[in-house]
Amino acid sequence: MSKKLIRLVDCCMAFDGELVLDHMNLYINDSEFLTLLGPSGCGKTTTLRIIGGFITPTSGEVLFDSVRMNDIPPHLRQVNTVFQRYALFPHLNVFENVAFGLRIPKTVEEGGKKRKVKLPEAEIRQRVLEMLEVVSLKGFEHRRSSELSGGQQQRVAIARALVNRPKVLLLDEPLGALDLRLRKDMQNELKRIQQQLGITFIYVTHDQEEALAMSDTIVVMDQGRIQQIGTPEDIYNEPKNAFVADFIGESNILDGIMHEDFVVEFFNRKFKCLDKGFAPMEPVDVVIRPEDIDIVPQEEGQLRGVVTAVTFKGVHYDTIVDFKGFKWLIQTTDYHPEGETIGIILNPDDIHIMHKSEYSGMFGDYSSYSEEYEEMDEASEEAPDHEK
């Protein structure tokens, strides 16, 4: 059984009277890769800063190995942080950037007296070279940081954080400044480094793909509250509410009625599903992932709709289909032109049932699909927001 390394107990955080973290309860296991995932302003960076000791929660407790850490400053915690801006020293080479923290004398107490102790130069060299090998920068020790690519600079920042041998590494959207291909490469690298060293990584991102690709555990947050905790598979396949279903991947989210165990109604038609435990005739949210929908000739379909928009995505087409005024997203490798009437088949395991929540009715209709794409393009050109 995994050991609980960090616990946040009923933690709240307020800035200028505004509650940005609302009674958070969370534990993080030793040697776990845990990701805090959510939109800007959801409280994920605030949570990371509380764990790192950069801010103190308004109320609640922060426990590290069952020891209360609320008032312990960052430099006395066994934690290091990698930020989106790597803050490397441009006048130092790679070796000296990584060695910087090791050259700072440490205070030790012996016989009731405190004294400063420096690491021997031979040990510093050994630890730096070992860490450069871990981050695949062996042979780069004499390069200046200004001569490195963005991905290499990030590796130097990670090596500098890990060379002090922390128990926990905090990563605050460290891939945000990299291009798409390099981000994907670094996702694999971060997971490899975490598994090789066996220490706890706590990662903050708004990018669902990063979270799904790297994490052992994902914590989905919104409005300062945890919405769901689980493995990537659990979060994707069994979302707890409409917010999680919409934020993790694409989802068609419909109003339904649970007639009985394994039977749900939507669009005035009953469908078999795999869900149970709901009250008879309970109103529910029905989630159908775009990739799970099978397109068939209209006469063979359980439902029929008209294609209203098609976008080529490389490996598939994003196809918007109007079903009785509600627009669905279907992802398919087959091209269906605008105006075509199609049928669809839904198998029981394609249908996921959720209890109604405060997010019901807010997501899942792709009527404004083209506008959403335009907003995403505009947002990508803007400078990234900074969370509180």
Side-chain angles (χ1 to χ4, degrees):
M1 181 179 292
S2 298
K3 173 187 174 184
K4 294 180 182 178
L5 182 64
I6 297 172
R7 287 184 62 206
L8 302 182
V9 182
D10 207 28
C11 282
C12 294
M13 189 71 216
F15 294 106
D16 299 325
E18 180 184 352
L19 192 64
V20 297
L21 208 61
D22 188 1
H23 297 280
M24 171 173 273
N25 289 281
L26 175 68
Y27 69 83
I28 301 164
N29 292 319
D30 192 19
S31 303
E32 181 176 32
F33 197 126
L34 181 137
T35 296
L36 301 170
L37 175 67
S40 179
C42 72
K44 56 188 185 295
T45 294
T46 297
T47 302
L48 197 79
R49 293 172 66 194
I50 286 173
I51 293 171
F54 301 107
I55 56 176
T56 302
T58 307
S59 62
E61 289 191 314
V62 182
L63 305 176
F64 196 114
D65 271 342
S66 300
V67 177
R68 191 176 189 274
M69 301 291 286
N70 289 45
D71 302 318
I72 305 300
H75 68 279
L76 295 180
R77 302 188 185 198
Q78 292 180 294
V79 172
N80 260 340
T81 306
V82 176
F83 299 99
Q84 186 172 342
R85 290 180 173 83
Y86 311 134
L88 301 180
F89 301 110
H91 63 289
L92 299 180
N93 62 23
V94 168
F95 184 97
E96 293 302 329
N97 263 284
V98 177
F100 184 83
L102 296 178
R103 298 196 190 283
I104 299 173
K106 302 295 187 293
T107 301
V108 298
E109 188 170 339
E110 293 178 354
K113 294 183 178 180
K114 294 182 179 180
R115 64 186 183 91
K116 299 283 188 179
V117 176
K118 278 189 172 184
L119 283 177
E121 192 62 33
E123 183 177 348
I124 292 175
R125 179 171 180 79
Q126 178 187 354
R127 286 171 61 171
V128 171
L129 294 180
E130 285 177 354
M131 194 51 60
L132 288 177
E133 188 165 0
V134 167
V135 299
S136 302
L137 285 178
K138 183 179 180 181
F140 282 72
E141 48 265 36
H142 300 299
R143 294 264 192 102
R144 288 191 175 274
S145 60
S146 58
E147 299 171 349
L148 303 177
S149 68
Q152 290 167 341
Q153 289 181 19
Q154 190 212 44
R155 292 168 195 240
V156 174
I158 292 170
R160 183 176 61 185
L162 291 174
V163 76
N164 288 315
R165 298 173 180 171
K167 281 192 173 182
V168 179
L169 183 65
L170 309 179
L171 300 110
D172 190 3
E173 305 214 39
L175 308 186
L178 305 180
D179 61 57
L180 179 61
R181 180 60 184 269
L182 191 52
R183 268 205 319 270
K184 290 181 179 293
D185 290 342
M186 286 308 303
Q187 288 170 18
N188 295 328
E189 276 296 290
L190 284 173
K191 186 62 178 175
R192 177 190 65 79
I193 292 168
Q194 189 267 337
Q195 291 176 335
Q196 180 176 341
L197 297 179
I199 70 172
T200 301
F201 275 28
I202 304 175
Y203 192 94
V204 160
T205 186
H206 63 273
D207 188 317
Q208 54 178 277
E209 183 181 337
E210 283 183 7
L212 292 171
M214 294 188 294
S215 311
D216 299 318
T217 302
I218 298 175
V219 179
V220 184
M221 298 181 63
D222 186 47
Q223 299 179 10
R225 300 190 300 271
I226 294 174
Q227 301 298 321
Q228 187 170 353
I229 302 174
T231 65
E233 293 82 1
D234 290 341
I235 296 286
Y236 188 84
N237 293 324
E238 298 295 337
K240 295 294 185 185
N241 60 39
F243 173 82
V244 177
D246 182 75
F247 198 81
I248 304 292
E250 303 280 2
S251 295
N252 303 293
I253 306 174
L254 322 168
D255 289 325
I257 297 172
M258 202 70 182
H259 278 255
E260 57 185 296
D261 287 348
F262 313 118
V263 178
V264 65
E265 176 190 334
F266 52 91
F267 286 163
N268 299 316
R269 182 181 181 124
K270 293 180 181 178
F271 292 84
K272 292 183 179 179
C273 62
L274 302 181
D275 296 271
K276 61 180 181 177
F278 292 82
M281 305 305 292
E282 177 181 345
V284 293
D285 286 334
V286 180
V287 178
I288 302 170
R289 295 290 190 183
E291 69 273 17
D292 291 337
I293 302 169
D294 294 326
I295 296 178
V296 297
Q298 58 174 303
E299 63 273 9
E300 298 176 16
Q302 295 167 312
L303 295 172
R304 287 186 295 178
V306 179
V307 176
T308 63
V310 182
T311 304
F312 180 59
K313 302 290 286 187
V315 296
H316 67 265
Y317 295 94
D318 276 2
T319 304
I320 307 300
V321 182
D322 189 322
F323 293 97
K324 300 183 179 181
F326 191 97
K327 289 184 171 61
W328 295 32
L329 171 63
I330 301 176
Q331 293 174 337
T332 174
T333 56
D334 297 323
Y335 175 71
H336 296 273
E338 289 185 32
E340 179 182 347
T341 300
I342 64 167
I344 63 167
I345 294 291
L346 298 173
N347 298 310
D349 58 350
D350 300 332
I351 300 170
H352 308 283
I353 309 301
M354 305 181 304
H355 291 285
K356 288 288 184 180
S357 73
E358 61 184 299
Y359 297 101
S360 297
M362 296 173 61
F363 307 104
D365 182 354
Y366 285 87
S367 296
S368 59
Y369 192 73
S370 59
E371 287 85 350
E372 289 174 8
Y373 262 103
E374 291 171 5
E375 289 172 7
M376 289 169 60
D377 291 339
E378 291 171 2
S380 66
E381 297 172 0
E382 298 174 359
D385 293 333
H386 292 287
E387 248 187 307
K388 285 184 177 180

